[in-house]
């Protein structure tokens, strides 16, 4: 996965201005999770015991195994 990044010139780090391409994974927060009952939904976090799990904001289903 490539992302384009607009770079400002930085002479101290010998960086030229322009557009640089970088490979980068999608940030986890931008990934839409799919709830088995609601489809793609916003997720929330909930603490279950000593771990944090992701839950469907709509129906409350735990989305992590
Ligand atoms: Zn749901």
């Amino acid at each position: 996965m490539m992302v384009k990044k607009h770079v400002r010139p930085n002479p101290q780090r010998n960086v030229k201005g322009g557009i640089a391409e970088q490979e980068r994974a999608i940030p986890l927060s931008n990934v839409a999770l799919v709830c088995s009952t609601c489809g793609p939904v916003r997720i929330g976090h909930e603490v279950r015991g000593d771990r944090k799990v992701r839950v469907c904001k709509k129906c409350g289903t735990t989305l992590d195994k």
Side-chain angles (χ1 to χ4, degrees):
M1 160 131 342
M2 303 294 285
V3 291
K4 281 206 175 77
K5 191 181 174 191
H6 293 249
V7 195
R8 307 189 72 182
N10 186 341
Q12 282 168 348
R13 285 166 57 200
N14 201 25
V15 176
K16 275 192 250 172
I19 302 172
E21 280 199 338
Q22 291 186 333
E23 186 150 7
R24 186 182 291 171
I26 310 172
L28 193 67
S29 57
N30 286 355
V31 178
L33 280 182
V34 178
C35 172
S36 50
T37 38
C38 316
V41 287
R42 304 211 130 237
I43 55 152
H45 290 94
E46 213 169 81
V47 177
R48 297 270 166 88
D50 58 349
R51 47 184 297 232
K52 225 187 211 178
V53 294
R54 290 175 290 182
V55 293
C56 171
K57 282 264 195 186
K58 247 185 184 174
C59 68
T61 303
T62 304
L63 298 171
D64 284 333
K65 281 158 219 151

